Amino acid sequence: MKIFKEKNYDKMSERAAHIIAAEVISNPKCLLGLATGSTPEGLYAKLVEWCDQGIVDFSKVRTVNLDEYKGLPKENDQSYYYFMNDKLFSHVNIDKKNTHLPDGTIEDADAACKKYDEVMEEQGEIAIQLLGLGHNGHIGFNEPSNGFSVGTNCVELQASTIEANKRFFEKEEDVPRFAYTMGIGSIMKAKKILLVANGEGKAEILHSALTGPVTPKVPASILQLHPNVVVVADEAAMKYFK
Ligand code: GLP
């Protein structure tokens, strides 16, 4: 595991964006695994900037996203579909037909998960999977549980996740209670994983995920078993690393 400790959020974003840009430059048709949340916003902004400057070309890039709230229409500004378009897809020269997210508007969870697994199967190997980190150690929306998920699954969000994500909604009741997420098994199949974390609020969970026991109670701890993980975090999030 390679760990980059960066001075602040901006430097973290720049480093992570460089890693993704390098992949796209060396493999223009690559499949990127993308993430939402506040952590990757800065790195998406850098990629938009570099695309504008002609440094990175997304015209052949394909993407799969980690997760989506169940029940939010695509035009809802809290859907991850909206987020990805708003932060990245609408500002770079990507072909939107090549971008994929779980479909949160499908009511039947089994059908939604099966459909997304088929999409992932069709797209093939993820060159880099970007991950943020939930306060309880979740990756995608894979919450702490008694076992690691394999394929796409429908998750009931835990109270702490609803609490953490309510800041984006008008009121807590508006936060969806369920989400579709790529499974841990699919995440672990990515060729490379890029985990980003910033701020003191992530310090404890980052430390236990990367140095504590590998357990489904801390889903991100499984990353310790992946052969090609790059962690990019700011100093505040790295507080407990010597
Ligand atoms: C959400 C997303 C995760 C993300 C996490 C952390 O729950 N499903 O993919 O990593 O939040 O979000 P943030 O980056 O805002 O701390």
Side-chain angles (χ1 to χ4, degrees):
M1 182 175 299
K2 170 116 190 82
I3 302 184
F4 289 98
K5 179 174 168 180
E6 303 297 339
K7 189 119 213 84
N8 52 37
Y9 179 74
D10 199 48
K11 294 282 171 214
M12 176 205 80
S13 302
E14 193 170 275
R15 171 78 70 186
H18 271 141
I19 294 169
I20 295 177
E23 184 67 40
V24 174
I25 291 166
S26 61
N27 178 11
K29 290 184 187 164
C30 67
L31 177 64
L32 298 177
L34 298 178
T36 55
S38 51
T39 315
E41 278 189 37
L43 76 89
Y44 290 148
K46 302 269 175 211
L47 292 174
V48 168
E49 206 179 299
W50 298 339
C51 182
D52 263 357
Q53 295 166 0
I55 299 169
V56 196
D57 175 13
F58 286 89
S59 61
K60 304 255 160 40
V61 168
R62 297 165 298 122
T63 68
V64 283
N65 254 80
L66 281 173
D67 47 11
E68 178 59 284
Y69 286 116
K70 180 173 189 271
L72 288 191
K74 295 191 164 92
E75 53 288 355
N76 184 304
D77 62 4
Q78 292 313 320
S79 75
Y80 287 166
Y81 176 91
Y82 189 99
F83 176 101
M84 287 311 301
N85 281 283
D86 189 43
K87 305 293 177 208
L88 185 68
F89 300 153
S90 297
H91 309 289
V92 295
N93 63 337
I94 199 161
D95 182 345
K96 289 211 185 149
K97 287 202 296 298
N98 291 335
T99 66
H100 309 275
L101 285 96
D103 187 345
T105 66
I106 301 178
E107 185 47 41
D108 178 345
D110 287 344
C113 294
K114 185 167 175 278
K115 188 173 166 208
Y116 200 55
D117 277 340
E118 281 165 11
V119 168
M120 301 232 345
E121 183 70 36
E122 207 178 282
Q123 292 300 316
E125 188 184 47
I126 298 173
I128 295 195
Q129 177 61 58
L130 175 64
L131 294 178
L133 182 63
H135 287 94
N136 57 7
H138 72 226
I139 45 177
F141 261 133
N142 292 283
E143 297 280 40
S145 71
N146 293 324
F148 292 110
S149 63
V150 180
T152 306
N153 58 104
C154 180
V155 182
E156 179 166 13
L157 302 184
Q158 294 192 351
S160 63
T161 301
I162 293 170
E163 176 64 29
N165 289 1
K166 75 174 188 203
R167 67 190 195 276
F168 300 113
F169 292 81
E170 223 167 273
K171 40 189 189 333
E172 190 177 319
E173 302 84 84
D174 294 343
V175 186
R177 269 30 189 182
F178 291 88
Y180 297 133
T181 181
M182 194 188 280
I184 303 259
S186 307
I187 294 171
M188 289 294 282
K189 280 206 274 183
K191 200 162 169 200
K192 183 181 196 141
I193 291 180
L194 172 59
L195 176 71
V196 288
N198 74 289
E200 219 179 314
K202 297 283 171 72
E204 220 174 300
I205 191 66
L206 185 67
H207 190 257
S208 64
L210 301 185
T211 66
V214 175
T215 162
K217 303 282 180 214
V218 182
S221 64
I222 192 116
L223 300 178
Q224 293 179 44
L225 304 181
H226 192 283
N228 193 2
V229 175
V230 179
V231 179
V232 183
D234 72 352
E235 281 177 0
M238 292 292 294
K239 185 171 142 185
Y240 297 115
F241 288 77
K242 293 285 162 259

